Amino acid sequence: MNVRPIRKVLIANRGEIAVRIMRTCREKGIRTVAVYSDADRSMPHVLHADEAYNIGPPPSRQSYLRMDTIIGVAQRSGADAIHPGYGFLSENAAFARAVTDAGLVFVGPPDTAIRAMGDKTEARKLVRLAGVPTVPGTEEPLESEEEARAFCQSHGFPVLLKAAAGGGGKGMRVVSAADQLGPALRSAQSEALSAFGDSRVYVEKYLASPRHVEFQILADNEGNTIHLGERECSIQRRHQKVIEETPSVIVNEELRRTMGATAVMAARACGYVNAGTIEFLVDDQRNFYFLEMNTRLQVEHPVTELRTGIDLVAAQLRIASGETLPLTQEQVEFRGHAIECRICAEDVGNNYMPSTGRITHLRPAVGPGIREDRGVEEGGEISVYYDPMISKLVAWAPTRREALSRMDRALQEYEILGVKTNIPLCLAIIRHSEFQAGNFTTHFLRDNHLAGTLRPLSDTERKAVALSCAFLEEEAERIMALTAEVPTDGFSGWKSKRILGMRQ
Ligand code: MV4
């Protein structure tokens, strides 16, 4: 394969992932091109880029999802390549194809691999034929209710109906008895149709309480494929991950070798090139089953970077330009423990409703072992148009226990005002005895009603805090009037934070 240097990259994304990609580009001397919607004119991803182009109104359909517009900007700006980030066009095979057809490098897998893994029944068949364990189920979409009934008869209940075009939990239905099968099938089909424009549904045996463990893989154009270990992603709510960590407490060295080799087989099965993730479900006997493949860089990639020391975006760019993987499986070194919290603007107490508005104050956590990836600054807006994730707070330490302490400390340091955040929820999880013991599955958040325990300060408490703050501020102003050196401003922020704050 010819090496094709990449000198300038258009990042077809926004927010923290666009900034994160630009940072590596800058380190590598690669120029960057940002695209932005009308809502994002002064967002950090625009300010981090060497050039920026407006691509339309705030709704994604009219901006970040416009393939032709984005490819046009890439060509006009003289970019050699497009990095799609995650979400938006990142797993759109037609986009990957259009980018390469336009003579540009797509920093991601071949469109054929995206297409093969995008159809979940096809993906299951493909990897099973390559020797990868899959959950018992059908490998063709269901043609009739009778077909579903036959599967249930031979495998027993409960079963799970899933959308063939799906992933991420949309269009899924658990069925635990025969009389629910017909209605569940019809509602799964109609949900799949409206979510994906594709009503095809298949059936799998339902695993009652699995863990979600995924493997990061890297593959180059010469057939070298390696894995970079696992990420434990069981702490999620409604298929939105909240906390991810590596290593997983249930994966020992032997299981890592086996699952890693299996992940590599799955990637090879679809001719995968670039960075990708193989998701597995793991049952309480530590049996593991292929779930799906994510053909993109993932939100939670930083925990893998901290534990392996490998910059995944740098690796993606090298692979995309035709270079050979710089290391073999044996050269991958795993060190310490990394954990990530997704800090989101949401009202946990009000059914996790997104909390939109301006971030009036933001003081991030820093210090030993902390990394933060964020795409919005103080004064920035959390709008209804995009994902409400504010920041990814990541902690590294030699051991899990120390990484959790570090995360706890960082969550305490973090101050955000103007929107509600899930920081108290993250703290409650980190401090939960079962979480600390490593004793949790994908049902952890459903089964532990942590939202109810995150009590904001009562009115009496808020008044007491406000009164003591007012008193202290008066005292401070008196003292400063005497010294007349320090501006009084420095204290007023402190006061309002204490009054408004949700700190535990
Ligand atoms: C399953 C399962 C149990 N049994 N499949 C959820 C998202 C989609 N990618 C697949 N998912 C699941 N598939 C079988 N046969 C349980 C889940 C599941 C889940 C998976 C990963 C992470 C969180 C989850 C939460 C609930 C259910």
Side-chain angles (χ1 to χ4, degrees):
M1 171 95 184
N2 290 336
V3 173
R4 182 172 165 186
I6 296 176
R7 298 194 187 85
K8 192 173 193 176
V9 178
L10 181 145
I11 296 93
N13 215 299
R14 67 182 299 285
E16 67 86 18
I17 195 62
V19 172
R20 191 264 161 270
I21 294 162
M22 289 173 196
R23 286 187 163 131
T24 287
C25 290
R26 176 132 311 163
E27 290 176 15
K28 291 169 66 90
I30 297 172
R31 280 171 295 151
T32 55
V33 180
V35 291
Y36 64 94
S37 74
D38 294 341
D40 283 347
R41 284 178 188 286
S42 49
M43 289 297 271
H45 79 278
V46 174
L47 308 175
H48 269 267
D50 294 311
E51 298 164 47
Y53 296 85
N54 181 287
I55 51 167
S60 308
R61 300 227 150 270
Q62 299 172 60
S63 50
Y64 297 105
L65 291 172
R66 298 279 294 253
M67 303 195 213
D68 293 348
T69 309
I70 290 168
I71 291 169
V73 169
Q75 288 173 321
R76 264 191 293 141
S77 63
D80 315 296
I82 296 184
H83 195 306
Y86 55 69
F88 296 126
L89 296 168
S90 61
E91 295 186 278
N92 185 316
F95 180 64
R97 183 57 189 267
V99 170
T100 50
D101 283 351
L104 300 162
V105 173
F106 181 73
V107 185
D111 67 304
T112 48
I114 300 177
R115 205 168 285 112
M117 288 305 187
D119 184 312
K120 303 306 166 189
T121 51
E122 283 297 312
R124 278 164 53 76
K125 196 189 310 179
L126 193 66
V127 304
R128 183 187 55 80
L129 291 172
V132 174
T134 53
V135 187
T138 60
E139 281 173 356
E140 303 291 340
L142 296 166
E143 301 274 355
S144 66
E145 195 179 319
E146 283 61 51
E147 228 175 274
R149 220 165 274 291
F151 177 86
C152 298
Q153 225 121 58
S154 52
H155 291 83
F157 289 98
V159 300
L160 187 58
L161 301 171
K162 294 185 176 184
K170 274 209 198 89
M172 284 194 352
R173 291 287 182 284
V174 181
V175 183
S176 32
D179 62 327
Q180 299 162 10
L181 189 59
L185 181 59
R186 284 182 289 278
S187 80
Q189 284 169 333
S190 86
E191 189 175 322
L193 181 64
S194 59
F196 310 110
D198 180 342
S199 68
R200 294 173 308 143
V201 162
Y202 66 105
V203 60
E204 277 182 9
K205 182 83 191 127
Y206 179 65
L207 305 182
S209 210
R211 297 173 75 122
H212 173 145
V213 177
E214 61 185 30
F215 272 72
Q216 178 69 53
I217 69 105
L218 283 179
D220 68 18
N221 287 281
E222 287 152 44
N224 303 302
T225 307
I226 62 171
H227 75 84
L228 302 183
E230 78 281 9
R231 292 185 288 258
E232 163 68 66
C233 302
S234 298
I235 304 296
Q236 52 79 46
R237 181 188 169 268
R238 298 209 180 149
H239 311 297
Q240 291 291 331
K241 294 164 187 161
V242 181
I243 292 182
E244 307 97 346
E245 61 180 316
T246 184
S248 164
V249 298
I250 59 154
V251 177
N252 59 24
E253 225 171 286
E254 191 200 332
L255 186 57
R256 182 168 305 114
R257 247 196 313 275
T258 314
M259 290 181 77
T262 308
V264 166
M265 288 183 341
R268 286 184 193 281
C270 69
Y272 204 80
V273 180
N274 216 285
T277 298
I278 310 289
E279 295 185 356
F280 294 105
L281 291 179
V282 185
D283 70 16
D284 51 6
Q285 315 288 313
R286 298 195 187 182
N287 298 308
F288 61 89
Y289 307 92
F290 172 86
L291 191 54
E292 53 191 70
M293 179 169 196
N294 299 317
T295 56
R296 59 166 192 275
L297 182 69
Q298 290 195 252
V299 175
E300 60 271 28
H301 77 275
V303 294
T304 299
E305 295 189 320
L306 292 186
R307 183 158 135 87
T308 62
I310 294 168
D311 179 332
L312 284 169
V313 174
Q316 286 193 292
L317 290 163
R318 281 213 199 92
I319 292 165
S321 70
E323 288 180 45
T324 308
L325 277 186
L327 76 175
T328 63
Q329 187 65 61
E330 291 66 43
Q331 289 169 329
V332 177
E333 285 180 41
F334 299 106
R335 195 166 151 261
H337 197 100
I339 180 164
E340 170 178 285
C341 288
R342 298 190 188 188
I343 311 295
C344 299
E346 61 190 17
D347 187 349
V348 173
N350 183 18
N351 198 29
Y352 295 77
M353 282 282 287
S355 175
T356 56
R358 186 174 301 281
I359 298 175
T360 54
H361 166 85
L362 190 147
R363 190 191 72 177
V366 289
I370 296 297
R371 163 175 169 178
E372 196 209 6
D373 284 19
R374 173 160 45 84
V376 55
E377 304 281 1
E378 181 172 294
E381 193 84 29
I382 300 297
S383 78
V384 295
Y385 298 108
Y386 313 112
D387 190 281
M389 190 171 75
I390 297 170
S391 169
K392 299 185 323 204
L393 192 57
V394 197
W396 181 92
T399 65
R400 183 170 191 262
R401 188 189 288 271
E402 292 163 296
L404 297 190
S405 298
R406 228 167 221 175
M407 180 59 82
D408 190 308
R409 181 269 293 172
L411 288 166
Q412 291 179 67
E413 268 184 33
Y414 214 124
E415 294 179 356
I416 300 175
L417 293 178
V419 293
K420 294 202 165 121
T421 77
N422 67 343
I423 289 176
L425 173 72
C426 290
L427 265 173
I429 297 167
I430 296 291
R431 293 174 180 179
H432 197 285
S433 59
E434 296 300 313
F435 180 78
Q436 291 187 348
N439 204 359
F440 56 86
T441 72
T442 47
H443 299 317
F444 180 84
L445 285 184
R446 189 196 69 189
D447 296 345
N448 291 284
H449 295 281
L450 296 177
T453 70
L454 309 175
R455 189 176 56 88
L457 295 181
S458 71
D459 282 356
T460 320
E461 286 164 328
R462 290 168 85 82
K463 269 182 210 147
V465 172
L467 279 172
S468 33
C469 285
F471 170 75
L472 287 171
E473 175 134 348
E474 258 174 47
E475 284 294 282
E477 273 164 12
R478 267 201 11 235
I479 292 162
M480 276 188 302
L482 294 172
T483 58
E485 288 277 5
V486 190
T488 51
D489 258 24
F491 282 80
S492 50
W494 173 83
K495 175 183 124 183
S496 59
K497 260 176 277 169
R498 283 299 184 279
I499 295 169
L500 301 170
M502 291 268 294
R503 313 224 345 199
Q504 306 219 330

